[in-house]
Amino acid sequence: MKTARLFQVLMFAGTLVAAASASDDSLPPLPSTASQYSIAETGTAPAHAGNDGAGSQPSPALDRRDRIFYPGDTERPKPLLRKLFLNIAFDQKDIFTSPFHVNRHNALEWLVPMAATGALIASDTHIANAFENSRGQVRWGGRISNIGASYTLIPIVAGSYVYGAWRDNPKGREIGVLGTESLLDSLIVAGVLKEVFRRNRPDEKNAGDFWGGGTSFPSGHAIQIWAIASLLDHEYKHQKIVGITAYSLAGIVSAARIAAQKHFTSDVVAGGTMGWFIGRYVYDTHMSHLAHKHSSLIPMIVPQVDPVQRTYSFALVFHPGS
């Protein structure tokens, strides 16, 4: 019975650890050209040509995230929050349905986290006992790990947006909006999985037991700090020092959660892995959204007749969607 239950834990845990990684497959494909954003085009056609070819071209698919938000824009709080929560709803759907999108192209992104999580769960107790576990270690571990708490990270990303709006800095606004989205996505995913696994923490009775009523798996601090670190790394991909600094801080916070006896190693590795994929997913989704067609730029062909030359003149006009 114990062996079967442990096998179930390993498989289920590994699957959910990698859940965020496959969510990238649900992103719409990037277009091959940016010509779709032309403001206007004009052309002429003989009068007898009519509009036989008007219906020959299929209408382009619209981005389902259309009119949600552009992080580079400064908006009033009410519409910005509404659009932000709509994006998060799309994110959660993609994240939790990602196990159904596994294929040979992303198989390693599933197998590696599953193997790592399974191995660590089996050796969590041994790793925890290897620490000194003194009162000072636990106290300082708790203090350092507070860097990755939501009450620390949320004011930071919110401050980035405020600074960007104040100084008209698009990058600051983008990090503020996408950072908030990444944090909220992480909090939701961690909250759901904690309720699913209910693993006891190292400092609780029956430490490490799944479905014991605890909230150890996965680490909420790890998933949040790694989501922000991943987002910053992708935002500043050409400035490696930013990514190195962010990942170093995320690693320190993750280790501190183990030292504070609040999580096992598998908890922080699982949380960090999911956080990294969530940060990448939010960034990639935003970039894909900007490059996709939107109903706010719906093309409209307006015919104009020249009675002297007996020709039609077509103007391709883009107008706001309803």
Side-chain angles (χ1 to χ4, degrees):
M1 180 64 70
K2 289 185 176 180
T3 303
R5 187 170 181 178
L6 177 59
F7 179 76
Q8 181 185 11
V9 170
L10 296 181
M11 295 301 295
F12 193 31
T15 300
L16 288 174
V17 166
S21 67
S23 59
D24 298 307
D25 297 333
S26 61
L27 298 179
L30 289 172
S32 58
T33 176
S35 62
Q36 60 184 347
Y37 292 113
S38 301
I39 301 303
E41 296 179 9
T42 59
T44 59
H48 63 272
N51 55 4
D52 293 340
S56 61
Q57 296 295 330
S59 58
L62 299 178
D63 191 341
R64 63 178 183 157
R65 293 174 182 259
D66 176 63
R67 292 182 288 120
I68 299 301
F69 70 78
Y70 293 89
D73 297 336
T74 303
E75 299 191 51
R76 296 189 308 268
K78 186 176 180 179
L80 179 64
L81 290 175
R82 180 180 63 83
K83 296 173 184 179
L84 177 63
F85 282 110
L86 284 174
N87 251 17
I88 291 172
F90 285 128
D91 293 347
Q92 294 302 309
K93 175 182 178 294
D94 289 343
I95 289 172
F96 282 103
T97 60
S98 60
F100 303 102
H101 301 286
V102 183
N103 53 54
R104 60 187 180 88
H105 300 292
N106 59 23
L108 283 179
E109 293 186 348
W110 288 81
L111 294 176
V112 173
M114 286 177 65
T117 302
L120 290 173
I121 289 176
S123 56
D124 271 337
T125 303
H126 177 74
I127 296 174
N129 292 334
F131 283 81
E132 180 184 357
N133 294 327
S134 63
R135 185 172 300 178
Q137 170 196 302
V138 174
R139 181 172 64 252
W140 279 102
R143 291 175 179 176
I144 295 174
S145 67
N146 286 336
I147 300 173
S150 57
Y151 52 76
T152 300
L153 295 176
I154 290 178
I156 291 176
V157 296
S160 177
Y161 182 84
V162 172
Y163 172 81
W166 175 45
R167 303 291 294 185
D168 194 22
N169 186 309
K171 180 65 75 173
R173 293 194 295 266
E174 181 167 302
I175 292 175
V177 174
L178 297 186
T180 302
E181 182 177 342
S182 299
L183 284 177
L184 293 178
D185 280 334
S186 301
L187 285 170
I188 294 172
V189 171
V192 171
L193 297 187
K194 284 178 182 290
E195 287 299 318
V196 170
F197 291 108
R198 305 184 69 191
R199 189 185 194 187
N200 291 339
R201 295 180 183 270
D203 58 354
E204 295 177 333
K205 185 179 179 181
N206 299 322
D209 283 1
F210 285 87
W211 304 291
T215 57
S216 187
F217 187 91
S219 169
H221 286 64
I223 193 173
Q224 292 175 93
I225 192 70
W226 280 94
I228 295 299
S230 176
L231 176 65
L232 291 175
D233 179 42
H234 287 87
E235 285 281 359
Y236 294 96
K237 61 180 66 178
H238 300 299
Q239 301 178 30
K240 298 301 183 183
I241 188 62
V242 176
I244 293 173
T245 303
Y247 287 139
S248 298
L249 185 60
I252 292 173
V253 170
S254 299
R257 293 304 285 172
I258 300 174
Q261 292 190 313
K262 293 300 181 183
H263 289 287
F264 292 99
T265 306
S266 62
D267 300 336
V268 298
V269 169
T273 302
M274 287 186 285
W276 187 89
F277 280 118
I278 287 174
R280 186 186 73 173
Y281 166 78
V282 170
Y283 174 80
D284 287 346
T285 302
H286 161 64
M287 297 306 294
S288 179
H289 176 68
L290 289 184
H292 208 52
K293 294 181 183 297
H294 309 281
S295 66
S296 57
L297 294 175
I298 297 177
M300 180 176 181
I301 298 178
V302 180
Q304 298 175 349
V305 181
D306 186 340
V308 178
Q309 299 293 332
R310 299 181 61 82
T311 60
Y312 286 108
S313 176
F314 295 96
L316 184 61
V317 180
F318 292 85
H319 68 94
S322 56

